[in-house]
Structure formats: structure tokens, C-alpha cells
């Protein structure tokens, strides 16, 4: 249970930052930390809730005891459905409820501190620019048109694009980040612009030129190296990379 140990956001920007922090924590629970999350949701325990915290962490805990609660509460009893559904369906269900909870928390703050029509509209637009947790967890995060055209093969294939960003053989096993400006000075500026629209499959944030990225060979989603705990040095020795979500799915098949 949370009990608001963090500073209470009062402006649109502060509420949005609170939303992003909680969202990142929930995405970690349902992707990179999915095994730990799965174990904590024991159906033999009491009604449990999944909380995302503003500091980008998460916790599975009992609901708060005070009535009414200080903040809107997440879906109750997520652990009871765990063993009665396929894992991917259960995670998708938790993701949908998590999206709903995040919106309710943000607009609770908006109502509490008297946001007007324009402030509420601005807050929603900022939130709506990010993929939902459900989209991230299911791999259905919408890509910008120019990026999807690039990734789906209108020009170079995904594997050859990866290889061109490293001076190594052109195979799909090569894992590297989307191209940086320094590496892409050979007339491939359009490709760089396309790739820069990518979003991380774990945290949902957009591509940054100063960050290392890696692509899953199964679902073909891009991830920040830091989000999946892969360094550039470690990636050099990986022939076929499987993201945590794909690894956990295959382990339980």
C-alpha cells in the first residue's frame, strides 16, 4: 500500500511526471521484472494490487485500509486470476487495469487542485502521446508511419540496417543501437530519422542518440540496453537475443 510517501503533484507538468514515473514502474513489473511479479501474485494470498510508484518502481501489496483511500486504488485481486488464464492474457488484463488506474490517479490530482478545461486537455494530450501499458506489454505500441515503413522493409531490411551500424558481418545476430549521427554520415540520413521514432518495448520512451539499444530476434521490438540489463560489450557475444517477455513465454510453453 502506498499512502502517498512522495510529494503531491500540483501542476500539469508535475502530474505528468508522476504519471510517467508510475507508468515506468508498472511496465517494469509486466516486462523486465515479469518473473518476480508473477511469483508475488500468489493466488493463495489475500486480495493483492499492483502499484506503480512515482520513483519508477512497483510493488504488489494489499489495498490501503483507510476509507475512502487517499488516492484511487488499483484493481483488487489480480492474483486470483493468475492461474485461471494463459499468462499473456493475464498480463494483458493487468495492463488494461493499470492503464485505467494511472488515468484515474492523474485526473484525481487534476480535480483536487482545480485544473481547468485547458489544463485537463493539455494533461491528456501529454499522456496520450505515450503508448499505453497494454500496447507496450502486448507489443502493439503504434509506431510512427515513417518508422514502420523503414522497419517493415521498404528500404533496407532490419538485419542489414543493424549490420551497417557496426563494421561486422551482415547478419541478424548483430545487435546494436539505432544509428547515431556520427555513425550515419554515408547518405543514410533518412534511415536515421526513421529509426529515431522508435520506442523502447520496456519503458516506452523514445529513441535517444546517446543510448545503447538492442532488438529482440523473436518479437523484433527495440529495447534500451539499460532496461533489459544488456551492455554493448555483452551484446557482442549474443547471437540470438530474446527479450525478457519472450524468454518467459517460451520457458512456460
Amino acid at each position: 500500500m502506498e499512502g502517498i510517501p512522495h510529494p503531491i503533484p500540483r501542476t500539469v507538468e508535475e502530474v505528468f511526471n508522476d504519471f510517467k514515473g508510475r507508468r515506468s514502474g508498472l511496465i517494469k513489473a509486466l516486462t523486465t521484472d515479469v518473473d518476480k511479479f508473477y511469483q508475488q501474485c500468489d493466488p493463495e494470498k489475500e486480495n493483492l494490487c499492483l502499484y506503480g510508484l512515482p520513483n519508477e518502481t512497483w510493488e504488489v501489496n494489499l489495498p490501503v485500509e483507510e476509507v475512502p483511500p487517499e488516492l484511487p486504488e488499483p484493481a483488487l485481486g489480480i492474483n486470483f486470476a493468475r492461474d485461471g488464464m494463459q499468462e499473456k492474457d493475464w498480463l494483458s488484463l493487468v495492463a488494461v487495469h493499470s492503464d485505467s488506474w494511472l488515468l484515474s490517479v492523474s485526473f484525481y490530482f487534476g480535480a483536487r487542485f482545480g485544473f481547468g478545461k485547458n489544463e485537463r486537455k493539455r494533461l491528456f494530450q501529454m499522456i496520450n502521446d505515450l503508448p499505453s501499458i497494454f500496447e507496450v506489454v502486448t507489443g502493439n505500441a503504434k509506431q510512427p508511419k515513417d518508422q514502420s515503413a523503414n522497419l517493415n522493409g521498404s528500404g533496407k531490411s532490419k538485419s542489414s540496417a543493424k549490420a551497417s551500424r557496426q563494421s561486422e558481418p551482415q547478419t541478424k545476430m548483430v545487435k546494436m543501437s539505432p544509428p547515431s549521427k556520427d555513425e550515419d554520415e554515408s547518405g543514410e540520413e533518412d534511415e536515421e530519422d526513421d529509426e529515431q521514432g522508435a520506442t523502447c518495448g520496456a519503458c516506452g520512451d523514445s529513441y535517444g542518440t546517446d543510448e545503447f539499444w538492442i532488438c529482440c530476434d523473436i518479437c523484433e521490438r527495440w529495447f534500451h540496453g539499460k532496461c533489459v540489463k544488456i551492455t554493448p560489450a555483452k551484446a557482442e557475444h549474443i547471437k540470438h537475443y530474446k527479450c525478457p517477455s519472450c524468454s518467459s513465454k517460451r520457458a512456460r510453453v
Side-chain angles (χ1 to χ4, degrees):
M1 65 187 71
E2 191 178 345
I4 312 187
H6 305 275
I8 299 176
R10 297 173 182 270
T11 67
V12 171
E13 288 71 24
E14 288 174 347
V15 172
F16 180 60
N17 287 334
D18 178 270
F19 173 91
K20 286 199 302 181
R22 295 176 190 274
R23 173 180 174 275
S24 293
L26 292 169
I27 289 174
K28 287 176 185 176
L30 299 174
T31 55
T32 55
D33 296 344
V34 67
D35 290 334
K36 181 179 177 182
F37 170 65
Y38 188 90
Q39 292 169 1
Q40 290 188 20
C41 291
D42 186 349
E44 298 300 319
K45 294 182 179 179
E46 297 183 56
N47 290 313
L48 294 176
C49 300
L50 172 61
Y51 293 89
L53 305 181
N55 62 357
E56 300 187 6
T57 61
W58 60 274
E59 66 176 10
V60 172
N61 215 329
L62 295 170
V64 297
E65 296 179 357
E66 60 182 320
V67 178
E70 185 69 22
L71 284 178
E73 282 287 289
L76 182 67
I78 57 172
N79 50 316
F80 295 146
R82 191 195 73 176
D83 293 345
M85 305 173 66
Q86 295 225 353
E87 182 184 345
K88 66 177 182 179
D89 295 331
W90 176 66
L91 292 174
S92 296
L93 179 63
V94 176
V96 168
H97 282 292
S98 296
D99 280 319
S100 300
W101 176 65
L102 282 180
L103 286 172
S104 68
V105 171
S106 293
F107 282 88
Y108 162 81
F109 286 131
R112 180 174 176 181
F113 296 109
F115 286 7
K117 177 181 178 181
N118 291 336
E119 291 170 311
R120 293 194 303 270
K121 182 178 181 180
R122 186 155 61 94
L123 175 60
F124 179 77
Q125 287 176 335
M126 294 167 75
I127 290 173
N128 202 41
D129 282 340
L130 296 174
S132 67
I133 297 174
F134 175 79
E135 289 173 329
V136 172
V137 169
T138 59
N140 292 327
K142 294 179 180 178
Q143 306 287 2
K145 291 182 180 179
D146 54 351
Q147 180 214 350
S148 52
N150 177 273
L151 295 181
N152 290 331
S154 62
K156 291 192 171 185
S157 69
K158 210 178 209 341
S159 57
S160 63
K162 286 184 210 167
S164 70
R165 290 189 285 277
Q166 266 187 332
S167 55
E168 293 192 6
Q170 294 189 1
T171 81
K172 183 161 185 168
M173 290 68 139
V174 175
K175 293 291 171 292
M176 240 348 234
S177 62
S180 68
K181 292 181 179 179
D182 291 336
E183 292 172 333
D184 196 11
E185 295 179 351
S186 60
E188 295 181 9
E189 295 178 358
D190 290 341
E191 179 183 324
E192 180 185 51
D193 292 340
D194 290 341
E195 292 279 351
Q196 284 180 350
T199 55
C200 175
C203 70
D205 285 345
S206 298
Y207 162 69
T209 57
D210 58 344
E211 297 174 303
F212 170 74
W213 283 50
I214 189 167
C215 183
C216 174
D217 283 289
I218 305 301
C219 65
E220 296 194 338
R221 286 187 290 166
W222 287 94
F223 297 87
H224 289 112
K226 64 183 180 182
C227 289
V228 290
K229 299 184 171 116
I230 300 292
T231 64
K234 189 174 181 180
E236 294 288 340
H237 303 286
I238 299 176
K239 291 186 176 181
H240 296 278
Y241 175 67
K242 291 190 291 186
C243 68
S245 180
C246 291
S247 297
S248 63
K249 287 177 185 175
R250 298 210 160 200
R252 293 192 176 93
V253 171

